[in-house]
Amino acid sequence: AALPGEQQAFRLPAETLPAPRPGQTLQQPFPPTETASVAPTPIPGPLRVLRYSPEGNVEQAPFLSVTFDQPMAPLTSLAELVTRDVPVILTPQPEGSWHWLGTQTLTFQPTFRFPMATRYQVEIPAGATSLNGGYLEEAVTFAFTTPPPSVLAHYPGEGASQPRDTLLFLSFDQRIDPAAVLR
């Protein structure tokens, strides 16, 4: 409860200001009656590969990526992009699929990852053509290598003499072919 003399009526300002307007109001019909000008066709220059990965010796390679400086694939549905020819040659090519990320970047996604202990050669052949008509004047090649297996643990240990029929155990850091190890 308010004490006598503390309660007052709400005081409004003598004059209120109108709400601010964010900009000018333009009176134009929508959609516009005039036709928009067509964007100029870009003059095709030589096609270049801007970047690629992986390269050199790598611990793991989850995917391969190549980016061009001009659009190589149209803006369309994913189903249509799957049917397009891929301008990259991967040797050897494991199971997996090629995908366009936008119009300029192509990736290869292996089913699991790139198999280990393998050297991969990648080539973008000369003559690859962009949608603008630019073409690659010289082939671009690069390579990457996944590491070979290494032994993590073994039994028996070093230095102790063992009987000839002792059990042997080797643990590797990746899957291996047992028949290849026994050779």
Side-chain angles (χ1 to χ4, degrees), residues 47-53 64-70 72 88 100-101 103-107 124 142:
L47 178 64
R48 292 184 306 130
V49 175
L50 294 179
R51 62 186 160 271
Y52 47 80
S53 71
L64 167 72
S65 171
V66 178
T67 301
F68 300 91
D69 71 336
Q70 296 177 25
M72 298 291 288
V88 176
W100 285 99
L101 302 178
T103 61
Q104 295 174 271
T105 301
L106 179 64
T107 63
I124 301 102
F142 64 98

Side-chain angles (χ1 to χ4, degrees), residues 11-12 19 22 45 58 64 78-79 96 98 109-110 130 137 146 157 163-164 168-169 175-176 178 180:
R11 291 189 299 166
L12 292 173
V58 295
L64 167 72
L78 292 174
W98 292 95
Q109 183 73 48
S130 74
E137 294 175 349
T146 53
R164 291 188 308 159
L168 298 176
F169 170 78
R175 290 180 188 233
I176 57 151

Side-chain angles (χ1 to χ4, degrees), residues 72-136:
M72 298 291 288
L75 289 174
T76 185
S77 70
L78 292 174
E80 288 182 32
L81 286 177
V82 169
T83 62
R84 287 192 60 82
D85 289 334
V86 175
V88 176
I89 300 167
L90 172 62
T91 308
Q93 182 170 321
E95 287 186 35
S97 57
W98 292 95
H99 300 282
W100 285 99
L101 302 178
T103 61
Q104 295 174 271
T105 301
L106 179 64
T107 63
F108 178 76
Q109 183 73 48
T111 303
F112 175 60
R113 68 174 180 203
F114 280 96
M116 305 299 261
T118 307
R119 177 175 167 73
Y120 296 93
Q121 185 73 27
V122 182
E123 179 185 5
I124 301 102
T129 307
S130 74
L131 293 179
N132 295 344
Y135 65 93
L136 194 63

Side-chain angles (χ1 to χ4, degrees), residues 24-65:
Q24 294 178 328
T25 302
L26 301 175
Q27 299 298 326
Q28 294 181 346
F30 184 81
T33 54
E34 54 190 62
T35 58
S37 62
V38 176
T41 305
I43 299 170
L47 178 64
R48 292 184 306 130
V49 175
L50 294 179
R51 62 186 160 271
Y52 47 80
S53 71
E55 183 179 21
N57 295 331
V58 295
E59 288 298 315
Q60 286 188 2
F63 61 89
L64 167 72
S65 171

